[in-house]
């Protein structure tokens, strides 16, 4: 019969259970009221894992405040007969008849007066169970004792279930945070190699002690990245990832699997993970942790309906700290998407750069009196094909024509117009057509094609004269005016004008002329150079003359590359492509002794 003291004790026990972070913290609140039950002389609790291994035993006698606590890992196969199923099991036994191979608590129970035992075994979770046993005498009301014992067990089970639930919620929150951080880290780069390294690193050591990433190839899995919490083990892991036949065969079989597979024990025989010495981590040396069996998981990297490869995790930690399949599946999916995005970006980048190369001349003409060079920098981070183009054409009369242009916008349509514009102008100029007529005919072709985009262009014709100078004729269709760097370091803008191409029918273009002398340099460029803008709002156009003047004495290649590099470093905003075409008139063969460049001027201009 439940009395008021027991009711109060049970109420306090429930309150303690709601706050407890581990079941062992309830011991005092459980043992004391049970020992206060008439006829109960001793309480003994035991904790077991699923392999009939005794982990913990605690015994307390009536009238004593000091329990006997035994922490052990004693294997007792005979205790299998006591392991409960789903519901708690209550038994009444005689202490004298207890088998020590089944009842490790027998030594405490036999010492108690009375000689009778009431025991309740109950399951805590899938991995373990426990028992709470009372030594009673003949005066005990066994029905009341059993009732109190089962009520106490109910509290213990509820407490343990609550602790597990809170642990799962905390783990789920941590897993969600880790997955979110993993996505941010992996998605922050579109470089394939960097993404693969991030995938390997993101889960170590939070999820596993080591990680391997392989891509699926026609000839088999290709090792791409590995990481481990211990540097020496990372080397061994990398070697296994590259060359181990056992691992290669495993990954070849598992790459098409829908879910994660865990391997341990005999399943790792013959693998590089079978010998504990090869997988021990630095964490194992920490006091109290000891050695844990190696577990390996393999998850397919699946994205957009295809398997890209596998991610293999190596664990050297307690079983309770292993991630579940759902978490690994989510992590692998995010990793696969990041890898697939990087691979697709790389394919697109390669295709765009290849197309861009075909829209530009493979090489510039080589002459003994002209130092020619060009530079092209892709500015769009998404790598759409740009509309900038340039070319240099040797003409029948011995002159050379330089052309540069910019189609409005990016993408396939801009690329088509770029090809049309460059090849049209090149063909006409090679045939000897003057620049104004060539631009007019290109404009007419654009109008006939009903092109939806306009473009700008400038053609500079350079004709050597008998007095050693060059006649520069410039014809522009709305393009930024070229600059001339004189041999003495002064910079001037070439007079130009004209309407954009592709806007109106029947447009004519006029040429403007001036002279170049030896060591003068003509610089043609697209607006990606001048419209590069720094954080304060200043355009590179405002500093371009000074930056160009500082390059006095430099050859054409250095001028083109230096200006493009400076503009990229200058800009905080603006993502347009930058094209430059530079022509230096030497008047003499290149080995005739040119003015040496003064690099101090270039450095001063950058300050």
């Amino acid at each position: 019969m439940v009395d008021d003291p027991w009711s109060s004790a049970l109420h306090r026990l429930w309150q303690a259970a709601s706050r407890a972070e581990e079941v062992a913290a309830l011991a005092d609140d459980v043992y004391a009221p049970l020992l206060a039950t008439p006829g109960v002389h001793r309480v003994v609790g035991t904790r077991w894992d699923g392999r009939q291994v005794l982990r913990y035993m605690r015994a307390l006698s009536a009238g004593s405040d000091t329990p006997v606590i035994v922490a052990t890992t004693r294997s007792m196969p005979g205790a299998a007969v006591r392991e409960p199923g789903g519901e708690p099991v209550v038994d009444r036994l005689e202490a004298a008849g207890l088998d020590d191979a089944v009842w490790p608590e027998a030594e405490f129970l036999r010492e108690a007066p009375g000689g009778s035992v009431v025991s309740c075994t109950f399951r805590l979770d899938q991995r373990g169970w426990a028992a709470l046993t009372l030594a009673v005498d003949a005066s005990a009301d066994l029905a009341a004792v059993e009732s109190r014992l089962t009520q106490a067990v109910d509290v213990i089970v509820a407490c343990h279930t609550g602790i597990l639930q809170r642990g799962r919620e905390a783990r789920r929150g941590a897993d969600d945070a880790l997955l979110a951080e993993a996505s941010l880290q992996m998605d922050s780069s579109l470089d394939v190699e960097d993404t693969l390294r991030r995938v390997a690193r993101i889960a170590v050591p939070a999820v596993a002690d080591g990680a391997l990433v392989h891509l699926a190839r026609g000839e088999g899995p290709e090792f791409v990245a590995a990481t481990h919490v211990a540097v020496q083990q990372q080397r061994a892991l990398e070697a296994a990832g590259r060359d181990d036949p056992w691992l290669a065969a495993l990954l070849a079989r598992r790459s098409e699997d829908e879910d994660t597979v865990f391997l341990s024990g005999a399943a790792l025989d013959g693998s590089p993970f079978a010998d504990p010495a090869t997988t021990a981590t630095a964490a194992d040396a920490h006091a109290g942790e000891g050695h844990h069996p190696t577990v390996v998981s393999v998850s397919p990297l699946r994205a957009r309906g295809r398997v890209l490869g596998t991610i293999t995790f190596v664990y050297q930690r307690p079983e309770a700290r292993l991630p579940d399949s759902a978490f690994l599946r989510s992590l692998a999916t995010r990793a696969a998407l990041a890898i697939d995005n990087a691979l697709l970006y790389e394919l697109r980048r390669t295709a765009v750069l290849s197309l861009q190369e075909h829209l530009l001349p493979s090489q510039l003409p080589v002459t003994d009196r002209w130092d020619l060079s060009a530079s092209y920098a892709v500015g769009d981070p998404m790598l759409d094909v740009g509309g900038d183009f340039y070319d240099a054409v040797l003409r029948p009369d011995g002159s050379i024509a330089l052309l540069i242009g910019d189609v409005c916008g990016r993408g396939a349509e801009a690329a088509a117009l770029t090809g049309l514009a460059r090849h049209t102008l090149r063909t006409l100029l090679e045939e000897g057509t003057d620049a104004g007529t060539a631009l007019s005919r290109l404009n007419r072709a654009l109008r006939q094609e009903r092109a939806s985009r306009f473009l700008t262009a400038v053609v500079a014709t350079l004709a050597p004269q008998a007095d050693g100078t060059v006649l520069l004729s410039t014809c522009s269709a709305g393009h930024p005016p070229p600059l001339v760097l004189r041999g003495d370091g002064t910079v001037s803008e070439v007079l130009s004008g004209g309407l954009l191409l592709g806007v109106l029918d029947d447009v004519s273009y006029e040429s403007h002329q001036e002279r170049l002398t030896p060591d003068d340099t003509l610089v043609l460029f697209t607006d990606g150079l001048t419209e590069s803008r720094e954080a304060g709002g200043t355009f590179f156009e405002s500093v371009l003359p000074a930056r160009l003047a500082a390059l006095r004495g430099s050859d054409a290649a250095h001028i083109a590359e230096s200006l493009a590099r400076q503009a990229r470093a200058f800009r905080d905003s603006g993502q347009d492509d930058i094209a430059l075409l530079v022509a230096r008139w030497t008047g003499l063969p290149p080995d005739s002794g040119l003015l040496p460049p003064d690099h101090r001027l270039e450095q001063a201009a950058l300050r």
Side-chain angles (χ1 to χ4, degrees):
M1 183 174 183
V2 178
D3 55 21
D4 289 337
W6 171 252
S7 297
S8 298
L10 190 62
H11 178 69
R12 290 193 298 273
L13 180 58
W14 277 110
Q15 288 182 319
S18 67
R19 300 188 299 269
E21 295 182 359
E22 57 180 15
V23 174
L26 295 180
D28 291 339
D29 294 292
V30 171
Y31 283 39
L34 287 175
L35 286 171
T37 303
V40 176
H41 294 276
R42 184 161 291 177
V43 180
V44 184
T46 53
R47 178 76 175 268
W48 306 77
D49 68 15
R51 298 182 296 269
Q52 289 78 52
V53 175
L54 178 65
R55 294 293 184 181
Y56 173 84
M57 184 162 59
R58 188 180 197 273
L60 183 64
S61 301
S64 173
D65 295 328
T66 305
V68 176
I69 300 176
V70 179
T72 181
T73 55
R74 189 193 316 175
S75 179
M76 299 185 67
V81 299
R82 297 178 60 192
E83 184 172 350
E87 297 296 325
V89 177
V90 178
D91 293 303
R92 297 181 186 179
L93 308 100
E94 293 300 319
L98 297 178
D99 183 352
D100 288 354
V102 178
W103 293 80
E105 57 266 64
E107 59 178 298
F108 296 105
L109 298 172
R110 293 193 192 102
E111 295 174 356
S116 295
V117 170
V118 179
S119 180
C120 181
T121 56
F122 53 97
R123 182 157 294 283
L124 290 171
D125 51 49
Q126 294 298 318
R127 296 191 298 268
W129 56 282
L132 194 60
T133 306
L134 310 180
V136 300
D137 61 24
S139 67
D141 181 345
L142 294 181
V145 169
E146 287 185 7
S147 176
R148 293 186 179 190
L149 183 59
T150 55
Q151 287 176 346
V153 166
D154 287 343
V155 177
I156 293 172
V157 171
C159 176
H160 185 72
T161 301
I163 291 171
L164 291 180
Q165 180 62 31
R166 291 193 294 274
R168 283 192 293 268
E169 291 174 355
R171 179 68 175 270
R172 190 178 301 114
D175 287 350
D176 289 345
L178 178 60
L179 289 173
E181 177 64 20
S183 294
L184 289 174
Q185 289 291 328
M186 293 184 294
D187 292 343
S188 63
S189 174
L190 285 173
D191 178 83
V192 174
E193 295 298 324
D194 186 48
T195 299
L196 291 169
R197 287 192 295 269
R198 287 169 183 260
V199 168
R201 289 197 304 262
I202 194 65
V204 176
V207 175
D209 299 286
L212 286 159
V213 180
H214 288 78
L215 292 182
R217 301 299 190 196
E219 61 276 11
E222 176 188 339
F223 168 77
V224 291
T227 190
H228 199 283
V229 293
V231 174
Q232 66 274 21
Q233 295 308 317
Q234 178 162 333
R235 299 191 188 99
L237 203 59
E238 290 174 349
R242 289 191 180 92
D243 305 318
D244 186 76
W246 182 94
L247 184 59
L250 171 69
L251 299 183
R253 294 194 306 270
R254 298 296 180 185
S255 63
E256 296 295 332
D257 285 357
E258 291 293 332
D259 207 353
T260 297
V261 61
F262 286 88
L263 303 172
S264 61
L268 295 177
D269 288 348
S271 77
F273 315 109
D275 181 4
T278 66
T279 53
T281 69
D284 292 332
H286 292 181
E289 288 203 10
H291 175 74
H292 301 286
T294 299
V295 179
V296 173
S297 70
V298 182
S299 302
L301 294 169
R302 187 182 299 275
R304 300 180 176 96
R306 63 193 182 100
V307 174
L308 305 178
T310 57
I311 183 166
T312 303
F313 290 125
V314 180
Y315 311 91
Q316 195 75 22
R317 56 186 60 189
E319 184 179 353
R321 291 178 55 199
L322 296 180
D324 58 31
S325 296
F327 172 81
L328 291 178
R329 183 167 55 251
S330 181
L331 182 62
T333 298
R334 294 168 189 242
L337 286 172
I339 293 172
D340 196 43
N341 287 338
L343 290 172
L344 292 174
Y345 181 84
E346 183 66 22
L347 287 174
R348 180 182 181 185
R349 176 177 179 274
T350 301
V352 166
L353 292 179
S354 177
L355 177 57
Q356 198 82 64
E357 288 177 359
H358 284 84
L359 293 175
L360 300 173
S362 58
Q363 61 182 17
L364 297 175
V366 177
T367 72
D368 60 354
R369 294 194 172 190
W370 286 105
D371 176 19
L372 299 177
S373 188
S375 177
Y376 194 101
V378 176
D380 191 288
M382 296 306 295
L383 288 174
D384 282 327
V385 182
D388 292 14
F389 63 92
Y390 61 83
D391 209 340
V393 180
L394 295 177
R395 290 161 58 81
D397 61 1
S399 64
I400 185 171
L402 306 181
L403 61 103
I404 194 166
D406 185 3
V407 176
C408 174
R410 311 184 67 86
E413 186 179 1
L417 288 181
T418 297
L420 172 65
R422 186 174 80 86
H423 289 293
T424 298
L425 288 177
R426 179 181 179 87
T427 299
L428 292 172
L429 293 170
E430 280 181 328
E431 293 175 349
T433 305
D434 68 86
T437 301
L439 289 174
S440 295
R441 290 177 63 176
L442 173 58
N443 181 73
R444 187 161 59 250
L446 294 173
R447 297 294 293 169
Q448 290 173 350
E449 292 291 331
R450 299 184 182 276
S452 61
R453 299 169 185 258
F454 61 83
L455 63 94
T456 67
V458 63
V459 178
T461 305
L462 303 164
Q465 304 297 300
D467 61 0
T469 63
V470 169
L471 180 63
L472 169 63
S473 298
T474 307
C475 193
S476 177
H479 198 80
L483 296 177
V484 174
L485 172 61
R486 301 291 181 180
D488 61 4
T490 59
V491 175
S492 61
E493 188 175 275
V494 176
L495 181 64
S496 61
L499 191 66
L500 302 173
L501 295 163
V503 178
L504 298 176
D505 298 327
D506 301 325
V507 179
S508 60
Y509 296 92
E510 297 181 354
S511 295
H512 303 274
Q513 298 181 340
E514 58 182 281
R515 297 272 179 167
L516 298 182
T517 60
D519 293 335
D520 286 352
T521 301
L522 178 66
V523 180
L524 291 78
F525 49 86
T526 57
D527 59 9
L529 180 77
T530 54
E531 293 180 3
S532 294
R533 182 188 298 184
E534 67 173 356
T538 302
F539 287 98
F540 191 72
E541 181 180 22
S542 64
V543 301
L544 177 57
R547 298 289 180 92
L548 179 56
L551 294 170
R552 169 180 174 264
S554 299
D555 59 23
H558 181 70
I559 292 174
E561 293 299 328
S562 179
L563 289 178
R565 183 177 62 253
Q566 290 181 45
R568 292 195 302 270
F570 181 87
R571 72 180 171 197
D572 181 70
S573 64
Q575 299 295 329
D576 202 0
D577 291 359
I578 296 174
L580 288 119
L581 182 58
V582 178
R584 175 179 175 141
W585 168 244
T586 65
L588 297 169
D591 57 355
S592 298
L594 302 178
L595 179 68
D598 189 346
H599 294 295
R600 292 173 300 175
L601 294 174
E602 181 179 357
Q603 294 300 315
L606 295 175
R607 296 193 181 99

